[in-house]
Amino acid sequence: MVGSSHEAMHRIFQKDPALLTRALQQVLQIPFPEPHDFAGMNVDLTEIEPIERRVDTLLRAETDEGAYLLVVESQGKPDERKRGSWPYYLSYLYEKYRCEPVLIVVTQNSATARWAAEPIHLGVRGCPSLTVRPFVLGPDNVPVIAKASEAERDVPLAVLSAMTHGRGRQAPAILESLAAALRTIDRDSAAVFVQFVDSCLADTQARKMWRDMMTAIQYFWRHPLAEEVREEGREEGREEGREEGREEGRAEALAETILRILRVRDIDVPDDVRARVEACRDLDQLIRWSERAVHAARADDLFALD
């Protein structure tokens, strides 16, 4: 199970290597050739003895123009040591494999993205012997995917969008769209993507909202992450052992998700609306209300089409 945002931010490209080249081509507008094959590689770049150096993810992309080594680094905050280790990674990989190395840094933080994008110059000031220009994927260039139709067209990119932008007022629409899109792919892949997003949501409300959404999807309850959610439910006194209890728990979770979406969007929730949502046990109805909550202008808009 993925336990940190650092792991999730680079392992998503192990799950779907083609996402990395799509990001280079579509997000960063880099004319990267279309790969026809990928292979994962050993991330250990340690030489003989003294210094251990590891990249986060290393992929070999075979293209008609030759092979490229895609070096992915997940970066949570600026770290000046990287100004030395990144050039080392690229030089070492080129010397070892005689393939062109490409450095891609992924981050959830705009300030870190700006720092990482600064060229690294080694040598005489103004006339460096070596210059490294990292490509950076972060909140300022990864697209916000807040419509289910867009999420369904490229689910891995929608996952990256949720991992990068899953906070603030836009979080409900992003997470709701992704939840809908996950229902269109195979369950094993969806379960992995659920982990990635869960690990990257630092905002407490957004993470709770995401987990509430996932409890409404039947297959999620067979995934390891569900054990953690079930344990939280047990601590609150819920009985998850019986089907009736599971249905009740899913309805309660969806009702709370609807109200949380409205709160995150700063929409006032009158007592009568809250009571109606909390009393509902129709999962299909609650799902429809949760979809409307993402776009509603007022709390009463939840019921406008009923």
Side-chain angles (χ1 to χ4, degrees):
M1 179 172 172
V2 179
S4 71
S5 61
H6 176 91
E7 286 292 304
M9 289 298 288
H10 70 88
R11 283 181 56 183
I12 186 174
F13 299 112
Q14 297 177 15
K15 171 64 178 173
D16 185 353
L19 172 63
L20 189 55
T21 54
R22 291 200 300 279
L24 287 172
Q25 296 164 347
Q26 300 170 20
V27 178
L28 299 178
Q29 303 297 306
I30 304 299
F32 192 85
E34 195 65 38
H36 47 73
D37 190 30
F38 288 97
M41 300 183 68
N42 190 341
V43 299
D44 191 344
L45 307 186
T46 305
E47 283 191 279
I48 316 282
E49 284 293 333
I51 302 176
E52 179 179 336
R53 296 183 186 271
R54 292 176 183 269
V55 297
D56 289 329
T57 286
L58 180 60
L59 300 168
R60 182 184 178 105
E62 299 289 347
T63 77
D64 291 337
E65 298 179 10
Y68 287 85
L69 300 178
L70 304 178
V71 183
V72 184
E73 284 281 276
S74 174
Q75 198 67 30
K77 61 183 179 180
D79 181 354
E80 287 305 314
R81 293 174 300 177
K82 296 294 187 179
R83 316 299 286 182
S85 58
W86 286 343
Y88 169 85
Y89 295 165
L90 301 185
S91 299
Y92 174 85
L93 289 168
Y94 180 77
E95 177 63 23
K96 182 174 183 178
Y97 297 105
R98 292 294 168 176
C99 294
E100 298 294 342
V102 180
L103 174 62
I104 303 101
V105 180
V106 290
T107 182
Q108 296 174 285
N109 183 276
S110 292
T112 301
R114 291 191 294 271
W115 166 83
E118 296 175 1
I120 302 169
H121 301 296
L122 301 180
V124 178
R125 182 171 300 179
C127 190
S129 297
L130 175 64
T131 297
V132 173
R133 299 181 184 275
F135 298 135
V136 181
L137 294 169
D140 297 329
N141 55 17
V142 171
V144 174
I145 298 180
K147 295 182 179 179
S149 58
E150 295 178 1
E152 290 172 12
R153 282 198 296 269
D154 192 337
V155 176
L157 185 60
V159 173
L160 183 62
S161 177
M163 292 162 62
T164 307
H165 299 287
R167 63 178 64 195
R169 293 175 63 87
Q170 57 196 355
I174 293 172
L175 297 178
E176 184 75 32
S177 298
L178 177 58
L182 288 176
R183 296 185 179 96
T184 67
I185 64 175
D186 68 276
R187 292 182 174 185
D188 289 339
S189 293
V192 173
F193 288 145
V194 166
Q195 282 192 70
F196 288 162
V197 174
D198 187 84
S199 298
C200 288
L201 293 176
D203 182 88
T204 303
Q205 280 197 327
R207 194 178 194 195
K208 181 67 165 62
M209 183 190 308
W210 177 245
R211 291 188 171 190
D212 288 348
M213 289 178 182
M214 293 301 98
T215 59
I217 302 176
Q218 293 278 356
Y219 76 79
F220 176 72
W221 289 93
R222 294 196 292 272
H223 190 271
L225 181 59
E227 292 298 331
E228 185 177 341
V229 179
R230 277 199 293 272
E231 183 59 33
E232 291 176 359
R234 283 193 289 269
E235 290 174 0
E236 295 171 1
R238 296 179 183 176
E239 296 181 3
E240 303 293 352
R242 300 193 305 265
E243 179 60 29
E244 180 180 352
R246 286 196 292 271
E247 290 291 319
E248 180 79 11
R250 282 193 288 273
E252 290 177 4
L254 266 174
E256 178 58 28
T257 294
I258 293 166
L259 298 175
R260 185 175 290 107
I261 289 173
L262 295 175
R263 286 199 301 271
V264 169
R265 299 185 61 227
D266 295 327
I267 293 176
D268 183 62
V269 181
D271 290 342
D272 59 329
V273 172
R274 178 184 300 277
R276 182 172 175 180
V277 171
E278 290 179 341
C280 182
R281 289 298 177 266
D282 184 333
L283 291 179
D284 290 337
Q285 180 66 76
L286 288 166
I287 290 172
R288 286 193 294 272
W289 287 348
S290 70
E291 293 169 348
R292 294 173 193 169
V294 174
H295 305 289
R298 300 177 308 148
D300 288 342
D301 291 345
L302 294 180
F303 318 126
L305 300 177
D306 294 341

